[in-house]
Amino acid sequence: MGKIILTGDRPTGKLHIGHYVGSLRRRVELQNSGEFDEIYILIADAQALTDNWDNPEKVRQNIINVALDYLAVGLDPNRVHFVVQSAVPELTELTFYYANLVTVARLERNPTVKTELGMRGFGDSIPVGFFTYPISQAADITAFKATTVPAGEDQEPMIEQAREIVRKFNSIYGETLVEPVISLPENRACLRLPGTDGKEKMSKSLGNCIYLSEEPKDIKKKVMSMYTDPGHLRIEDPGKIEGNTVFTYLDAFAKPEHFEEFWPEYKNLDEVKDHYRRGGLGDVKVKKFLNNVLQETLEPIRNKRKEYEKDIAYVYEILKQGTEAGEKKAAQTLSEVKDHMKINYFEDKQLIEDQQKMFDEELAKEGRNNR
Ligand code: TRP
């Protein structure tokens, strides 16, 4: 059996550098590793509608933004199928059957659902669609027979729930679905990149994001006003690394060659951290280095995006072809699922024959008894 990747994003805005270190960078590495037979990346518009049902225009406008960001970071349409979720009705059908295997209590216990419900303040008016989206996400993953899901830490409970559905399905209906594993980013900083204000998560509504397509002057402005150690008032004061956003970003982005190029006084990040802890290293110097690192990382991404922006019709063509390939795969899985669930009445020739035999025997028995 081949190795298959499936992952995805909700198209509710442009992607930011948190998405990049949390998942996009890994996807490109996995793509280039040559280890995978098939790669599907889902633009999860149907899932986005579970909490944006009243704002379909937002989802509609952001499908292209997410697609452009994918292409900009180096995901290659010759190797990756970009799939638009709502155009694959098989996913909805699978969701409906999987719903039989999941209890309300289990969904209530899903930590991601719990946090998100709290954040959105639905109160007593939780929409069924939103509440059940982990089931739909299990359909996304299993429809493509994914073995590997590169995603951020926040998606772990979703993958776990998908694994449970797979085990339950296979134990009831026979071996059909594949149990996926999550592929997490390499270090803690990448697991959850904080916002530029030091808040736990980057989010558009908080205005604390740096987008992949951000212009150089805006990157600089955001970096220079970033949250650091509020106790580090004078340069001579000892500074704290923990919770210092500038250092968290450096953990996620700085590579050895960045020191050679921009800050040869230090060999690596550990030396910078030591100096900062001791005192005598000012925030501005560290921020300038981070700015250089981010500028160098984001420039090629921004430029590549601008190239694709010149031909939007071509990007939609890429999406259309990816979606067609995705639907083919999902249809194959759905057909196996329906076979194993015994809801394939018109495809199963044996069914009619067997039932005819049964009725014939009954009729014959009645005939004998009435004689
Ligand atoms: N829930 C993911 C997010 O909010 C998006 C997503 C939808 C996804 N389907 C998926 C991720 C399947 C991984 C696998 O970003």
Side-chain angles (χ1 to χ4, degrees):
M1 197 192 58
K3 287 179 78 180
I4 299 174
I5 287 179
L6 176 287
T7 184
D9 300 277
R10 296 181 188 183
T12 54
K14 292 180 174 183
L15 301 180
H16 51 62
I17 61 173
H19 293 114
Y20 184 66
V21 294
S23 172
L24 294 171
R25 190 164 63 181
R26 166 62 58 87
R27 295 179 199 177
V28 177
E29 278 167 21
L30 295 177
Q31 163 193 278
N32 295 339
S33 75
E35 269 181 50
F36 291 86
D37 302 297
E38 295 161 51
I39 306 178
Y40 300 91
I41 298 189
L42 195 69
I43 302 186
D45 61 334
Q47 187 181 107
L49 286 167
T50 65
D51 65 338
N52 290 283
W53 65 86
D54 52 354
N55 196 358
E57 194 57 31
K58 172 168 145 193
V59 175
R60 182 180 174 82
Q61 295 304 331
N62 280 307
I63 289 180
I64 191 72
N65 273 322
V66 170
L68 286 166
D69 285 330
Y70 286 165
L71 294 164
V73 298
L75 290 167
D76 173 0
N78 293 312
R79 286 184 278 183
V80 175
H81 303 297
F82 300 110
V83 182
V84 176
Q85 188 185 28
S86 63
V88 183
E90 287 82 356
L91 297 175
T92 335
E93 216 175 321
L94 286 170
T95 304
F96 191 70
Y97 297 128
Y98 294 172
N100 297 332
L101 310 178
V102 182
T103 65
V104 171
R106 176 63 182 88
L107 286 169
E108 279 170 343
R109 263 188 282 119
N110 183 310
T112 308
V113 174
K114 247 192 203 166
T115 332
E116 289 186 334
L117 283 176
M119 264 161 41
R120 281 166 182 75
F122 287 131
D124 285 335
S125 311
I126 303 169
V128 173
F130 182 82
F131 186 63
T132 56
Y133 94 75
I135 306 176
S136 131
Q137 190 157 331
D140 298 342
I141 297 168
T142 54
F144 300 94
K145 301 256 168 95
T147 52
T148 310
V149 182
E153 192 186 30
D154 60 322
Q155 296 301 306
E156 245 178 335
M158 293 293 151
I159 316 300
E160 190 43 46
Q161 183 131 33
R163 290 163 59 84
E164 275 174 43
I165 291 174
V166 168
R167 290 197 291 267
K168 197 151 184 191
F169 189 100
N170 288 350
S171 77
I172 297 171
Y173 303 113
E175 209 54 39
T176 317
L177 304 172
V178 179
E179 237 182 275
V181 293
I182 191 167
S183 167
L184 289 168
E186 57 272 21
N187 72 38
R188 280 228 62 82
C190 298
L191 273 179
R192 177 157 300 197
L193 201 70
T196 51
D197 55 359
K199 295 236 174 68
E200 199 191 344
K201 208 177 167 177
M202 276 201 179
S203 101
K204 190 164 52 205
S205 50
L206 294 174
N208 61 1
C209 304
I210 296 177
Y211 293 97
L212 288 172
S213 48
E214 199 89 52
E215 289 298 327
K217 62 172 186 340
D218 298 319
I219 298 172
K220 182 157 188 201
K221 204 157 59 187
K222 288 183 180 181
V223 170
M224 296 317 284
S225 61
M226 256 171 92
Y227 178 85
T228 59
D229 168 13
H232 188 234
L233 295 176
R234 284 161 312 186
I235 291 175
E236 321 80 78
D237 291 340
K240 268 215 299 262
I241 305 293
E242 297 69 39
N244 187 323
T245 318
V246 175
F247 281 99
T248 311
Y249 279 33
L250 286 174
D251 277 328
F253 283 97
K255 292 194 212 136
E257 54 271 29
H258 291 136
F259 291 91
E260 263 168 61
E261 191 180 347
F262 301 119
W263 218 3
E265 292 93 311
Y266 301 91
K267 269 205 290 302
N268 53 43
L269 192 54
D270 285 336
E271 286 188 11
V272 181
K273 286 180 179 172
D274 283 343
H275 193 177
Y276 191 83
R277 277 199 201 91
R278 279 200 310 274
L281 178 56
D283 283 349
V284 172
K285 273 194 176 166
V286 192
K287 284 178 171 174
K288 280 190 170 152
F289 176 59
L290 174 62
N291 177 55
N292 283 328
V293 170
L294 285 181
Q295 298 287 358
E296 176 138 309
T297 310
L298 296 180
E299 185 188 52
I301 296 174
R302 191 175 51 243
N303 291 344
K304 198 156 184 187
R305 193 186 210 269
K306 284 185 175 151
E307 281 306 306
Y308 281 107
E309 284 173 356
K310 290 178 192 154
D311 196 351
I312 294 301
Y314 173 61
V315 178
Y316 271 103
E317 190 51 39
I318 291 174
L319 294 184
K320 187 157 171 263
Q321 287 184 14
T323 302
E324 279 165 12
E327 183 172 21
K328 216 164 133 198
K329 182 82 179 184
Q332 173 61 36
T333 305
L334 178 64
S335 149
E336 289 166 29
V337 159
K338 290 177 80 172
D339 273 353
H340 293 183
M341 289 182 76
K342 302 197 174 295
I343 48 177
N344 55 351
Y345 319 113
F346 303 125
E347 287 78 37
D348 184 359
K349 301 252 155 42
Q350 198 62 41
L351 176 70
I352 298 175
E353 246 176 67
D354 288 352
Q355 289 187 341
Q356 188 64 67
K357 212 162 32 190
M358 187 183 79
F359 282 108
D360 285 349
E361 278 166 17
E362 284 298 317
L363 286 170
K365 226 191 286 170
E366 273 171 39
R368 276 197 302 277
N369 291 347
N370 292 344
R371 226 181 296 132

